[in-house]
Every structure is written in C-alpha cells, then in structure tokens.
Amino acid sequence: MSERLTVALAQPVVLDNRAGANGIIGTDAVAKAAPDGYTLLMTTGGAQTVSPSLYALPYDSIRDLAPISMVATLGTMLVVHPSVPARTLQEFVALAKAQPGKLNYAAGSSLLHLVGETFKLATGTDIVAIPYKGTGPQLSAVLAGEAAMTIDPFTAVQHVKSGRLRALAVLSRKRSSLLPDVPTLQEAGVSGVELDAWAGMLAPAGTPAPVLKRLHDEVAKIVALPEFRDRLAALNYEPAGSTPEQFSQLIATDTAKWAKAVKATNFKVQ
C-alpha cells in the first residue's frame, strides 16, 4: 500500500512500524498526530476493536480516529494436530466434553485467546488455554503436538493442505476460497462465534473531509489493482474495500461485539 500511495500522491509514503502492546503503541502515535493527512494508521480489527475492552487506552479508539477504508480481510480457522482423534468439529466438541480439562489450545494473542474462550462458552467445553507470544509460536506449538488446537489466522493453510494439520472449521461468515471444503462454524453447528479479521486504514480525527476523500479514493484504486490483489492473495488475504461510513459502522459493531464477549467469558488478559 505504501508503495502504491507513493506513486498516487506523488510524495514518499514512509512505513513506520510501531509494533507492540496489541497495536496500542502505533495507534496512540496516530491518534495524537496532527490531523493533516500526513500521518496514517494501518491496523487490524483486533487491535482496533478488542483492545478497548481489555486495556486502559491512552486514546479513544472511535472518537480519536477517522476511518478511511478497509483494505483486506483475513480468514481464521480452527485447526488441530493430526493426533487428535476428531475429523469434524462435532467430533472435536464431543471429545472435549468427554475429557474436560484434558485438551488444550494455543493462544498467540489476546484476540485469539478471547475467541478461544468464546468457543468454549458456545460449546460448553473445558479446553485449557496456553498463551504464546504471537501467532508464529502458537502455530509451532500445534505443529509440534504441544497443543491440540489453535485458532489460526490462515498462516497454516499450506500445513492443512499438506496434512500436517487438520482444519475443522473457518470462523468467517462464509467459506474461504482457499479452503472451500472446510465448513464454517455455523455450518458445523456452533453459533455465536465469528471472527472476520480485517486490515484497514485510518487517520487522526479532525482530518479535513477533502483529505479523507482523496485518501479513500486512492486506496480504493489500489485495492482494485490486479497486481495488488495478487500480492494480498499470496499472503492469504482477500482485498476488501469500503466507504468510510461502512468502515466506521464495522468498527462500532465489532467493538460492541467484543465488549459483550469479554463480559460473557469474564476474560482477563494474561
């Protein structure tokens, strides 16, 4: 995106990675930047909509930022190690109910940990969470058999296709074109657990409307480019543009949804 915006805006767009604290560090820098269109935020749904329910933020995630556009969506799926004697989600739930507290799952982020706890609540199962620092380590844990299951943000697609892991369901509203034979959780009989992860661009609140429109229009053109879509596909992302209004509504809806999930599961950050 930064490469394409550099061309479209005829000025350098410098990528400044501010990793850490579930997106809070980078988001805070943008929320407090001058609202002139020269400082932008590329963030993820979890960082933007889950953090408000888990942390005392130094900014208001809705009031202090102006949505520009969604850029992409990222699928998530429930995967298990092949040694787990369950070939379907129904069999996995039955196995977990028959052995309460015996199965475990790897959780590499607060969002994925919360989704795991929501899954347990929806299925009435007792599966032990094992926190890891990142989705890479959580995937390695399941590949090694240290954990039976994890909620994977499609980093394991090739391992599923090779048979090193077994995908039991995707957590999106519809099946993924990358794994069309894997059912959704809803299709597999589990309701109330969805994770349509996304990446999108925002600006500081107060950025002039004409500036936001120019940025939105340029982002929309980039998302529509075949070569950009191909690069996203290589990362297991699907391009997904939106209007600023649609993006704003999505953020508000997701924020309310995760606040409800945190309360229902009594979730605490570990």
Side-chain angles (χ1 to χ4, degrees), residues 72-78 112 151-157 169-179 195-198 235-238:
T73 58
L74 174 63
T76 49
M77 57 183 168
L78 189 152
L112 298 178
I151 306 297
D152 173 73
F154 269 41
T155 59
V157 170
V170 295
L171 279 70
S172 52
R173 295 181 181 89
K174 62 180 182 179
R175 295 194 183 200
S176 169
S177 59
L178 297 172
L179 297 168
L195 178 57
D196 286 300
W198 51 260
L235 299 170
N236 299 323
Y237 281 82
E238 293 187 20

Side-chain angles (χ1 to χ4, degrees), residues 26-52:
T27 304
D28 187 45
V30 176
K32 294 176 179 174
D36 53 14
Y38 286 93
T39 303
L40 306 173
L41 174 68
M42 180 72 79
T43 190
T44 63
Q48 187 68 16
T49 64
V50 179
S51 292

Side-chain angles (χ1 to χ4, degrees), residues 105-208:
Y105 75 96
S109 72
S110 297
L111 172 59
L112 298 178
H113 192 171
L114 175 58
V115 173
E117 295 304 295
T118 304
F119 174 79
K120 289 165 55 177
L121 182 64
T123 56
T125 54
D126 179 11
I127 308 171
V128 179
I130 304 177
Y132 287 85
K133 293 184 178 180
T135 54
Q138 77 168 23
L139 177 58
S140 296
V142 182
L143 284 169
E146 295 174 9
M149 180 269 279
T150 194
I151 306 297
D152 173 73
F154 269 41
T155 59
V157 170
Q158 295 306 318
H159 296 303
V160 171
K161 291 182 176 180
S162 69
R164 294 188 66 194
L165 292 175
R166 184 180 303 129
L168 301 185
V170 295
L171 279 70
S172 52
R173 295 181 181 89
K174 62 180 182 179
R175 295 194 183 200
S176 169
S177 59
L178 297 172
L179 297 168
D181 294 332
V182 180
T184 66
L185 279 177
Q186 185 77 32
E187 290 173 333
V190 177
S191 301
V193 185
E194 284 185 352
L195 178 57
D196 286 300
W198 51 260
M201 184 175 288
L202 303 95
T207 301

